[in-house]
């Protein structure tokens, strides 16, 4: 029983390794929002079976809030401080166009 619990703890924590801290990714200036999303965000945010890339809370369902979330990260989401300017706007537009709000 103890070995099973240890194994479960290791598996759970290893699943979060890619989804924490700060990521230094810097997109090319001409990267589309879709390119940025699939290069980085889809590592943790798998597209839903409904065809949406994610479900957003109403608190982040606007470009400014999404960009802030990308820059600062969250509980297990890494911060992406180098996604700035037009690439950040394109990423926010892609997410908003391809997500649903709860």
């Amino acid at each position: 029983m103890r070995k099973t619990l240890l194994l479960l703890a290791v598996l759970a924590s290893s699943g979060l390794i890619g989804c924490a801290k700060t990521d230094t990714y810097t997109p090319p200036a001409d990267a589309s929002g879709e390119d940025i999303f699939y290069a980085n965000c889809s590592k943790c945010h798998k597209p839903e079976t409904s065809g949406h890339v994610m479900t957003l809370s109403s608190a982040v369902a606007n470009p400014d809030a999404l960009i802030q979330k990308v820059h600062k990260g969250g509980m297990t989401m890494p911060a992406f401080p180098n996604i700035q300017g037009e690439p950040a706007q394109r990423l926010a537009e892609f997410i908003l166009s391809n997500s649903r709000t709860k």
Side-chain angles (χ1 to χ4, degrees):
M1 181 67 163
R2 191 172 187 177
K3 287 182 182 181
T4 303
L5 288 175
L6 179 61
L7 178 61
L8 288 173
V10 168
L11 289 173
S13 61
S14 67
L16 296 175
I17 288 173
C19 301
K21 314 257 182 197
T22 297
D23 192 303
T24 59
Y25 168 78
T26 302
D30 62 345
S32 71
E34 182 176 17
D35 291 340
I36 297 168
F37 182 86
Y38 284 106
N40 293 284
C41 308
S42 66
K43 293 174 187 173
C44 299
H45 297 282
K46 303 296 182 205
E48 300 173 354
T49 56
S50 63
H52 296 101
V53 294
M54 61 179 54
T55 299
L56 302 171
S57 71
S58 58
V60 295
N62 68 74
D64 292 335
L66 275 174
I67 292 169
Q68 285 290 67
K69 183 72 167 175
V70 168
H71 289 162
K72 293 182 179 179
M75 295 176 359
T76 58
M77 179 180 157
F80 291 89
N82 298 336
I83 301 177
Q84 297 283 333
E86 286 298 314
Q89 287 292 328
R90 289 191 292 270
L91 175 60
E93 289 169 13
F94 173 78
I95 292 171
L96 289 170
S97 312
N98 294 283
S99 296
R100 61 186 174 132
T101 304
K102 57 178 168 176

